[in-house]
Amino acid sequence: MVSIELVNYIKAPASLIYQVLTTEEGLAKIWTKKLIVKPEVGFINEFDFNEAEITKMKIIELQENSRIYWECVDSDKEWIGTRVSFDLSERNNQTAVILKHSDWRAVTEYYQWCNYNWSMFLQRLKTQCESLVQFGS
């Protein structure tokens, strides 16, 4: 099993980043506008990327302002059974966001494409959160 592991540093409080990553309003600004999201353990978030499958992520764990952990229960066949976590740690007026997409069965072209897209996701998260801090949320 392989993982995608990325980090980005965001000049925003962990509480703001947590809110963006756990709400429809927040995720719609950085991932897809077609979604059903509820910040509740056991809930299955749905993300529609205009592909054959709707990506469904079951919320396994939520630790307010520090951790979000999902398991993919439906999506592209390479995603099913994989897990995505976001670990947040705040220090020196910024928050480190560690994204880990684990339990991939193989390094494929799709895995590599997703690695790139998760990097873009973290960049959009950074831009969104830092603009909210700069201009007030």
Side-chain angles (χ1 to χ4, degrees), residues 10-106:
I10 301 174
K11 293 177 185 163
S15 59
L16 174 62
I17 296 165
Y18 182 86
Q19 180 183 9
V20 169
L21 291 172
T22 59
T23 64
E24 280 189 11
E25 180 183 0
L27 286 166
K29 291 185 176 163
I30 62 168
W31 213 12
T32 179
K33 295 189 183 322
K34 295 164 58 175
L35 71 168
I36 300 170
V37 170
K38 192 173 188 180
E40 181 181 295
V41 172
F43 189 79
I44 298 175
N45 291 336
E46 295 185 12
F47 303 97
D48 185 345
F49 299 101
N50 296 319
E51 296 173 354
E53 308 86 6
I54 291 177
T55 296
K56 296 180 181 179
M57 297 287 207
K58 182 176 181 180
I59 300 174
I60 303 298
E61 181 181 354
L62 292 173
Q63 292 180 19
E64 190 169 2
N65 305 332
S66 66
R67 188 155 213 267
I68 299 148
Y69 190 42
W70 302 332
E71 178 182 3
C72 184
V73 295
D74 196 14
S75 187
D76 179 276
K77 64 181 180 175
E78 288 190 47
W79 269 39
I80 296 172
T82 64
R83 295 170 182 256
V84 176
S85 62
F86 303 91
D87 288 295
L88 314 176
S89 59
E90 196 173 331
R91 64 182 181 274
N92 302 325
N93 297 318
Q94 68 179 4
T95 301
V97 179
I98 298 173
L99 182 154
K100 185 174 182 182
H101 190 165
S102 59
D103 297 332
W104 286 80
R105 290 173 283 290

Side-chain angles (χ1 to χ4, degrees), residues 106-124:
V107 174
T108 63
E109 186 173 315
Y110 186 68
Y111 164 91
Q112 294 168 324
W113 182 74
C114 289
N115 196 338
Y116 167 79
N117 280 286
W118 277 126
S119 296
M120 299 301 292
F121 174 93
L122 282 179
Q123 187 58 43
R124 288 190 304 272

